[in-house]
Amino acid sequence: MAYVVTQSCCSDASCVVACPVNCIHPAPGEPGFAEAEMVFIDAGTCVGCGACVTACPVGAIVPDTRLREDQRPFVDLAAEYYDVFPHRDRTPVALVPRQRRLRRPGPFRVAVVGAGPAGLYAADELLRHPEVEVEVFERLDVPHGLARFGVAADHVETRRVARLFDQITAQPGLRLHLGVEVGRDVTHEELETRFDAVVHATGAPADRRLGVPGDQLPGVLGATALAEWSNAHPARRDLALQVAPAAGGRAVVVGAGNVALDAARLLVGPLVGAREVLVLGRRGVDAAAFTTPELVGLAGLADASRPDPVDVVLEAGPAPGDGVRARLLAELATRTPVPGRPRVVLRFDAPVAEVTGDDRACGVRLVDGSLLEADLVVGAIGQDWAPVVHDRGRVRPGVYVTGWAKRGPSGFLGTNKSCAQKTVAALLDDLDAGPGPALPVPAGPPRRVRALLTGRSPR
Ligand SMILES: Cc1cc2nc3c(=O)[nH]c(=O)nc-3n(C[C@H](O)[C@H](O)[C@H](O)COP(=O)(O)OP(=O)(O)OC[C@H]3O[C@@H](n4cnc5c(N)ncnc54)[C@H](O)[C@@H]3O)c2cc1C
Ligand code: SF4
Ligand code: SF4
């Protein structure tokens, strides 16, 4: 029996470290790891010990004996990968890095702003050092950021990462302040003068607008806002009215990345109940940004054994190539929809010129002049993000940045782990260097922060 990595893999590489026979690649440090959509298990070498299953925070690994039919392409994907990259050296690579020890005795107190994946991974890295205590400030009443409010509800396995984050926040050296917005309830300066260091992990603020006439009309939403509404984000409750007309109707999703596919699945699912969702890619199908694991998941929606099958149709010639992805796309291009079933239609080379409508969006006009009617228009073209100048996460000594706030909106959940490790390494360098020009001395004990917050944040 061999094990297989399936569906949405968050690329944090915990499985790679756990594997006794070094058969999960690409591993951190190997070419392609940073850009990899997922990691692959070499079926020929896997000894079926299951250590990787325990290590994986998102339940992405299953034995090949338990694969569903629609997960079979993942076996071919792994075989395809090892054909190109055999990784013949199976010596366990001892990827567990040697634990760094601080040279100065501490105690050190670090404030982390934002309890999303990046902030919590940074807190976890810091708490490896017994000299460090961490206080995390989160503006919402619940932690986990987009791992809670962005990741699609039907990505059940990925959402299990919440268990890992709960373990992080349960550590004795961590104090979590919920319902505290830094910049409103407590100022940046107040934190900087009370802590040895402040790590900003506030994510990327908002969906990028479509940037065409009509993109501000009611009935035009961002895909992250839609995902947040579907996941009961407290600030998105009023979107129900905007989404309602799509029930039994047609929605257009502009964009062709993973978040666009999340939006399409959500719109044809039971929460919204759209009859048809048209996903529009600006360029050709070979330039589509969705990852192959997400495409496998989308193609599987048509499986007739599912409770509510959804047709998925590709309106384009298949992408060139003969790999698993190209074969899957070619197969989608030949599918015939079943009348009456909800469907997702993927259309490429379809740049949008305008959102049409007077007081509410009623469709889009493409650059080629064609008009597409729609009851809802969803933009899935990324997030706005203001770059922060930093060096390995150090904005200046004592102030650091990590996650989407540092890199912009890119990568998987696990990418924030390696990102946090780099930022924390810079922070530890400064703690080691000691007070002085490298690191300002905190002006007051941090326990006063609690007193500071009393009366400011009602929660
Ligand atoms: C719609 C969507 C779906 C996604 N699905 C997946 C998926 O299936 N798999 C996957 O691997 N990745 C997915 N991602 C990517 C993943 O969510 C991100 O990589 C990750 O959430 C980024 O972490 P972050 O901590 O930098 O930002 P965020 O998750 O945005 O967290 C930032 C936190 O900071 C808080 N905050 C902001 N400002 C302040 C302030 N001033 N004071 C206090 N707190 C503040 C916010 O409330 C938030 O909790 C998805 C992203 C989106 C948008
Ligand atoms: S089951 Fe064991 S041998 Fe196989 S990939 Fe997982 S950790 Fe490695
Ligand atoms: S999510 Fe992480 S632990 Fe799970 S398979 Fe992917 S890289 Fe391995």
Side-chain angles (χ1 to χ4, degrees):
M1 178 173 67
Y3 280 65
V4 184
V5 181
T6 64
Q7 58 150 23
S8 308
C9 170
C10 80
S11 302
D12 73 338
S14 305
C15 57
V16 176
V17 179
C19 180
V21 293
N22 187 14
C23 72
I24 309 180
H25 297 275
E30 288 176 352
F33 176 76
E35 309 83 46
E37 294 177 350
M38 60 187 300
V39 293
F40 302 97
I41 294 175
D42 179 17
T45 311
C46 172
V47 294
C49 69
C52 53
V53 179
T54 318
C56 177
V58 298
I61 305 175
V62 295
D64 57 3
T65 47
R66 285 213 221 123
L67 280 177
R68 296 192 313 264
E69 200 47 46
D70 59 293
Q71 291 175 319
R72 288 269 149 213
F74 288 110
V75 176
D76 300 337
L77 272 175
E80 193 173 79
Y81 174 81
Y82 283 99
D83 275 351
V84 182
F85 305 102
H87 293 289
R88 291 207 176 83
D89 181 2
R90 296 294 180 211
T91 316
V93 275
L95 281 165
V96 183
R98 279 182 51 206
Q99 177 63 51
R100 172 177 179 169
R101 286 287 157 232
L102 280 163
R103 288 199 297 271
R104 291 200 304 133
F108 301 110
R109 296 185 181 90
V110 179
V112 173
V113 185
L120 295 181
Y121 278 127
D124 195 35
E125 283 302 317
L126 286 161
L127 290 172
R128 289 172 199 276
H129 300 269
E131 306 86 348
V132 180
E133 287 173 11
V134 177
E135 299 209 24
V136 181
F137 296 83
E138 166 57 50
R139 67 178 167 189
L140 298 177
D141 287 349
V142 283
H144 305 178
L146 286 168
R148 179 188 298 268
F149 291 116
V151 174
D154 62 351
H155 277 170
V156 179
E157 304 296 343
T158 306
R159 293 178 66 89
R160 285 197 191 153
V161 76
R163 291 182 303 193
L164 171 74
F165 294 146
D166 283 339
Q167 284 164 13
I168 293 175
T169 51
Q171 293 179 80
L174 186 144
R175 177 175 289 164
L176 180 59
H177 301 276
L178 295 172
V180 177
E181 181 167 337
V182 175
R184 184 194 63 184
D185 302 318
V186 57
T187 67
H188 295 273
E189 196 191 7
E190 282 168 335
L191 289 189
E192 284 168 30
T193 52
R194 281 165 177 79
F195 287 87
D196 292 285
V198 180
V199 180
H200 292 275
T202 47
D207 285 297
R208 190 178 302 152
R209 282 179 37 201
L210 289 174
V212 296
D215 69 354
Q216 304 231 53
L217 283 169
V220 183
L221 298 182
T224 305
L226 179 72
E228 290 175 338
W229 166 76
S230 74
N231 286 314
H233 191 294
R236 300 296 186 192
R237 289 191 188 110
D238 58 349
L239 290 190
L241 277 177
Q242 303 247 15
V243 177
R250 187 198 226 191
V252 161
V253 176
V254 182
N258 284 353
V259 171
L261 299 192
D262 285 351
R265 290 196 318 281
L266 168 64
L267 290 164
V268 285
L271 192 63
V272 180
R275 181 181 40 83
E276 181 175 82
V277 176
L278 201 48
V279 178
L280 301 178
R282 193 161 55 93
R283 289 177 289 157
V285 60
D286 45 329
F290 49 70
T291 58
T292 306
E294 291 299 319
L295 184 63
V296 173
L298 187 77
L301 292 183
D303 189 336
S305 65
R306 289 172 60 95
D308 298 301
V310 171
D311 280 319
V312 181
V313 184
L314 173 64
E315 269 188 6
D322 59 358
V324 172
R325 185 179 173 102
R327 281 204 298 279
L328 210 54
L329 288 167
E331 193 261 314
L332 288 182
T334 59
R335 283 192 184 177
T336 312
V338 178
R341 264 196 199 176
R343 73 175 69 157
V344 174
V345 179
L346 307 175
R347 182 179 292 182
F348 291 91
D349 288 314
V352 170
E354 179 188 1
V355 177
T356 57
D358 295 327
D359 45 12
R360 184 185 157 95
C362 63
V364 295
R365 189 171 57 77
L366 300 185
V367 167
D368 67 8
S370 50
L371 281 170
L372 306 172
E373 286 180 13
D375 302 291
L376 184 71
V377 176
V378 177
I381 57 167
Q383 322 278 122
D384 275 328
W385 167 65
V388 179
V389 180
H390 67 89
D391 173 23
R392 294 181 301 135
R394 181 194 291 109
V395 179
R396 58 179 185 277
V399 179
Y400 308 84
V401 65
T402 191
W404 274 16
K406 171 185 170 187
R407 316 187 308 276
S410 64
F412 302 94
L413 285 167
T415 317
N416 300 298
K417 180 171 168 173
S418 39
C419 182
Q421 284 168 338
K422 289 179 193 139
T423 293
V424 168
L427 190 161
L428 296 176
D429 287 349
D430 291 347
L431 289 182
D432 268 341
L439 201 66
V441 190
R447 66 178 67 92
R448 291 213 195 117
V449 168
R450 226 173 162 185
L452 202 67
L453 291 172
T454 311
R456 289 200 198 171
S457 169
R459 296 180 302 275

